[in-house]
């Protein structure tokens, strides 16, 4: 989950993961109800955008192609979530995905702390 201090967790996926493999699912909660509470997810930016897709309404982040040797091992993703209300409320957050077979292989790629977490509304996020 994303903490109020802006810290996040990272996701790790095998470099041999097939196209369509689930990386994680982003879950956001809006305080509204009904039509105003419908949430949409968008991948705003990624280190290598061709690797990932996000479900518009599911929040599932999946691989859209296999990992290639030339791809950076650490991928930074910026996700936008917005509701369907008027005015439109949105928030963005940054997460890292590391292509590695195990945690020991991933650790050298996680030396920098995560940043760029900006909460622009009262949406809550959970990674499951």
């Amino acid at each position: 989950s994303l903490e109020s201090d802006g810290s996040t967790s990272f996701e790790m996926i095998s470099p041999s993961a097939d196209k369509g493999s689930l990386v994680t699912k982003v879950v956001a909660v809006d305080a509204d109800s009904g039509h105003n509470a419908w949430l949409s997810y968008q991948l705003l930016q990624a280190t290598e955008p061709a690797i990932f897709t996000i479900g518009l309404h599911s929040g599932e982040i999946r691989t859209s192609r296999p990992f290639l040797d030339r791809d950076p091992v650490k991928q930074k993703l910026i996700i936008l979530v917005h509701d369907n209300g008027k005015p439109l409320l949105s928030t963005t957050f940054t997460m890292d995905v590391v292509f590695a077979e195990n945690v020991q292989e991933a650790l050298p790629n996680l030396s920098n702390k995560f940043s760029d977490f900006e909460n622009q509304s009262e949406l809550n996020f959970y990674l499951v």
Side-chain angles (χ1 to χ4, degrees), residues 26-48:
V26 179
V27 178
V29 178
D30 189 354
D32 289 338
S33 61
H35 190 62
N36 288 350
W38 291 1
L39 299 174
S40 298
Y41 301 84
Q42 182 180 353
L43 183 61
L44 281 183
Q45 192 174 22
T47 305
E48 179 53 58

Side-chain angles (χ1 to χ4, degrees), residues 1-11 24-25 27 93 117 124-128:
S1 87
L2 298 175
E3 303 298 330
S4 60
D5 67 358
S7 62
T8 64
S9 62
F10 74 94
E11 293 296 322
T24 192
K25 181 174 181 171
V27 178
F93 70 96
F117 176 72
N124 294 313
F125 290 94
Y126 305 93
L127 297 176
V128 287

Side-chain angles (χ1 to χ4, degrees), residues 8 10 74 76 96 98 106-115:
T8 64
F10 74 94
K74 182 179 176 183
K76 182 183 217 176
D96 284 344
V98 176
L107 285 176
N109 296 298
L110 298 173
S111 59
N112 296 334
K113 285 286 189 186
F114 306 114
S115 61

Side-chain angles (χ1 to χ4, degrees), residues 53-105:
T53 61
I54 188 165
L56 179 63
H57 297 292
S58 69
E60 290 182 346
I61 299 174
R62 295 186 175 272
T63 56
S64 54
R65 67 161 171 81
F67 179 77
L68 304 174
D69 289 338
R70 68 176 184 256
D71 293 327
V73 172
K74 182 179 176 183
Q75 297 284 322
K76 182 183 217 176
L77 307 180
I78 300 176
I79 313 289
L80 168 73
V81 181
H82 65 82
D83 68 3
N84 202 36
K86 294 198 189 308
L88 185 94
L89 297 177
S90 66
T91 192
T92 60
F93 70 96
T94 301
M95 66 174 290
D96 284 344
V97 176
V98 176
F99 284 90
E101 294 295 344
N102 55 55
V103 174
Q104 291 78 13
E105 189 178 314

